[in-house]
C-alpha cells in the first residue's frame, strides 16, 4: 500500500501565525489570556491551550479588563475592536493579512458607493467579520438561489469571496451575478493556500483508491476538501483524529491519499499516517516524488 501525503496538508500561514502568537503569550503571561472564539477549528489544540490558561470567549462582556485577548486569523468586524478597547483589554491581532486585505478592500469600495456581495457562508466568522467592514451595505450569497433572492438597486456592485471558497463555486456564482446585474467589479479573494490545497486534493483523489481528509468538525475548508475529494474518489473519509479512522480492507486498497485542513496540526497528520502505515508494510511517498512518477 502506498500513502500519498499532500504537500499543502495542515496549518496555513495565517493559522500558523495565530497559534504561534498565542503560544508566545502563554509563555509570557502564564494565565488569563482570551481568544475571541477558538483560535483554530481543532479541539485538541484548543484543549491544550486551555490547560495553559487560554480561554475562548464569544462575548467581550465576559472578559476581565486588563487581560490579553487574541483575535484569530478569521478576523473580526470593527465593532469588536471598539468593544475590546472599551472593555480595557490588551489587543493581540492575529487577523490573517489576506483577510485584512479584504476588510480594507470592501471598506474602500463602500466608501466609493458600491454595494458589496460576499460569496461565502453567512454564518462563518470570517464572512461575519468582512460584512462588518461594509457599513451594512453587504449581502452574502452561497448559491445561485441566494443570488435570485438579491434585490440590489445600486448599479455599482463589488463582489468578493470568502478566502476558503472553492474556485468552481466562485466562478459559477459570479457568472450568475454578472448575468443578473451586468457589469460588476469582482475580486477573487480566495486565498492561494486554499486553492493550492484544493487543487492538490483534486489531483490526488483522482489517482487513489481511498482518500482521508483530516480536520476539525467545524472547519469549513476541511469540509470543502472533503467535497472535492468525494467527487473523484467515492471512498473519501473525513476524520478529526486517528481515532476516527474507518476500518479498512487493506487488500482492496493500493493507494491512499491524505490531506488536511488549514487548522490541522502536524502531529495529528503524523498520527493518521502512522496508523495507516501500521496496517500494512506500506510505502510512503510525498507529492514531489509522486509528481516525478506521474510525469
Ligand atoms: Fe489566511 Fe489563507 Fe490561512 S487567508 S488564514 S493563509 S487559508
Amino acid at each position: 500500500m502506498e500513502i500519498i501525503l499532500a504537500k499543502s496538508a495542515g496549518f496555513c500561514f495565517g493559522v500558523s501565525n495565530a497559534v504561534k502568537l498565542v503560544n508566545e503569550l502563554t509563555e509570557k503571561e502564564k494565565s488569563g489570556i482570551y481568544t475571541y472564539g477558538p483560535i483554530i477549528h481543532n479541539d485538541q489544540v484548543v484543549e491544550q491551550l486551555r490547560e495553559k490558561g487560554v480561554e475562548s470567549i464569544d462575548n467581550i462582556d465576559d472578559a476581565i479588563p486588563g487581560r490579553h485577548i487574541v483575535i484569530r486569523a478569521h478576523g473580526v468586524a470593527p465593532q469588536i475592536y471598539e468593544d475590546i478597547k472599551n472593555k480595557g483589554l490588551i489587543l493581540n491581532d492575529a487577523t490573517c493579512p489576506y483577510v485584512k486585505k479584504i476588510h480594507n478592500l470592501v471598506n474602500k469600495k463602500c466608501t466609493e458607493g458600491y454595494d458589496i456581495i460576499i460569496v461565502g457562508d453567512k454564518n462563518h466568522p470570517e464572512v461575519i467579520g468582512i460584512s462588518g467592514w461594509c457599513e451594512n451595505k453587504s449581502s452574502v450569497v452561497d448559491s445561485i438561489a441566494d443570488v435570485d433572492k438579491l434585490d440590489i438597486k445600486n448599479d455599482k456592485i463589488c463582489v468578493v469571496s470568502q478566502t476558503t471558497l472553492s474556485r468552481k463555486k466562485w466562478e459559477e456564482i459570479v457568472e450568475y451575478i454578472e448575468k443578473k446585474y451586468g457589469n460588476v467589479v469582482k475580486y477573487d479573494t480566495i486565498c492561494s493556500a486554499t486553492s493550492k490545497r484544493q487543487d492538490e486534493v483534486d489531483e490526488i483523489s483522482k489517482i487513489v483508491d481511498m482518500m482521508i481528509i483530516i480536520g476539525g468538525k467545524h472547519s469549513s475548508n476541511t469540509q470543502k476538501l472533503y467535497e472535492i475529494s468525494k467527487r473523484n474518489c467515492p471512498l473519501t473519509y473525513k476524520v478529526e483524529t486517528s481515532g476516527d479512522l474507518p476500518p479498512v480492507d487493506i487488500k482492496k486498497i493500493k493507494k491512499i491519499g491524505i490531506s488536511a485542513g488549514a487548522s490541522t496540526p502536524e502531529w495529528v497528520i503524523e498520527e493518521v499516517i502512522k496508523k495507516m502505515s501500521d496496517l500494512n508494510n506500506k510505502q510512503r511517498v510525498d507529492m514531489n516524488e509522486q509528481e516525478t512518477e506521474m510525469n
Side-chain angles (χ1 to χ4, degrees):
M1 184 176 69
E2 186 179 296
I3 295 177
I4 303 172
L5 173 65
K7 271 191 291 185
S8 55
F11 279 1
C12 64
F13 153 83
V15 167
S16 172
N17 272 356
V19 172
K20 190 165 158 247
L21 192 150
V22 176
N23 277 323
E24 282 170 2
L25 265 181
T26 58
E27 274 161 35
K28 275 193 246 154
E29 296 299 320
K30 303 295 174 212
S31 67
I33 299 158
Y34 299 115
T35 58
Y36 185 65
I39 191 71
I40 59 172
H41 288 135
N42 182 283
D43 292 346
Q44 290 74 35
V45 171
V46 170
E47 188 48 45
Q48 280 175 356
L49 287 172
R50 197 189 334 253
E51 283 162 16
K52 291 185 191 169
V54 179
E55 189 188 337
S56 161
I57 55 168
D58 297 321
N59 191 339
I60 302 297
D61 280 345
D62 297 338
I64 297 169
R67 292 192 174 176
H68 285 263
I69 186 159
V70 179
I71 290 178
R72 57 193 172 172
H74 296 320
V76 294
Q79 184 59 48
I80 304 297
Y81 287 100
E82 273 299 300
D83 294 347
I84 288 172
K85 194 170 148 209
N86 293 339
K87 191 75 186 180
L89 295 165
I90 306 164
L91 174 68
N92 299 267
D93 195 351
T95 304
C96 176
Y98 300 134
V99 177
K100 195 74 225 159
K101 213 168 139 188
I102 307 176
H103 292 173
N104 294 337
L105 171 67
V106 295
N107 196 245
K108 180 169 172 280
K109 286 290 164 193
C110 274
T111 316
E112 291 170 5
Y114 283 81
D115 267 45
I116 311 292
I117 300 177
I118 306 163
V119 185
D121 173 0
K122 66 176 187 309
N123 298 316
H124 192 280
E126 180 196 315
V127 174
I128 295 169
I130 296 169
S131 298
W133 292 86
C134 306
E135 300 162 8
N136 301 324
K137 283 193 282 182
S138 68
S139 320
V140 182
V141 295
D142 199 23
S143 64
I144 299 288
D146 287 346
V147 179
D148 277 334
K149 286 182 214 143
L150 291 179
D151 183 25
I152 302 174
K153 303 287 184 238
N154 194 347
D155 57 358
K156 288 168 90 179
I157 295 176
C158 167
V159 192
V160 298
S161 58
Q162 184 177 347
T163 57
T164 51
L165 197 73
S166 80
R167 180 141 286 119
K168 193 168 172 281
K169 193 170 195 175
W170 162 255
E171 281 163 4
E172 273 170 17
I173 293 181
V174 167
E175 196 187 319
Y176 199 72
I177 293 172
E178 283 175 323
K179 236 186 246 164
K180 181 168 176 176
Y181 288 108
N183 252 353
V184 297
V185 180
K186 58 187 177 190
Y187 295 91
D188 170 350
T189 46
I190 298 170
C191 165
S192 59
T194 303
S195 45
K196 188 167 179 286
R197 195 188 307 268
Q198 292 176 351
D199 290 348
E200 259 197 301
V201 163
D202 190 37
E203 192 186 334
I204 298 173
S205 58
K206 283 177 184 152
I207 57 162
V208 295
D209 307 303
M210 175 179 162
M211 194 73 194
I212 298 169
I213 306 292
I214 315 164
K217 286 187 199 82
H218 307 293
S219 159
S220 75
N221 74 87
T222 305
Q223 177 61 24
K224 283 184 188 111
L225 295 180
Y226 171 76
E227 287 161 14
I228 291 168
S229 177
K230 188 86 180 166
R231 284 202 296 263
N232 300 325
C233 176
L235 222 55
T236 295
Y237 296 95
K238 192 172 84 162
V239 301
E240 197 166 39
T241 65
S242 61
D244 304 328
L245 283 168
V248 182
D249 184 356
I250 286 300
K251 282 180 238 92
K252 289 193 184 145
I253 292 164
K254 291 195 174 61
K255 278 187 185 177
I256 295 184
I258 297 179
S259 187
S263 298
T264 310
E266 208 180 310
W267 58 267
V268 175
I269 301 172
E270 285 301 327
E271 264 182 20
V272 170
I273 293 172
K274 185 172 181 314
K275 194 152 174 191
M276 295 316 296
S277 307
D278 288 349
L279 289 175
N280 197 29
N281 264 344
K282 44 73 239 176
Q283 180 199 357
R284 178 180 158 193
V285 295
D286 66 25
M287 273 300 285
N288 284 328
E289 293 166 46
Q290 184 63 24
E291 275 161 11
T292 316
E293 262 178 43
M294 283 162 60
N295 288 337

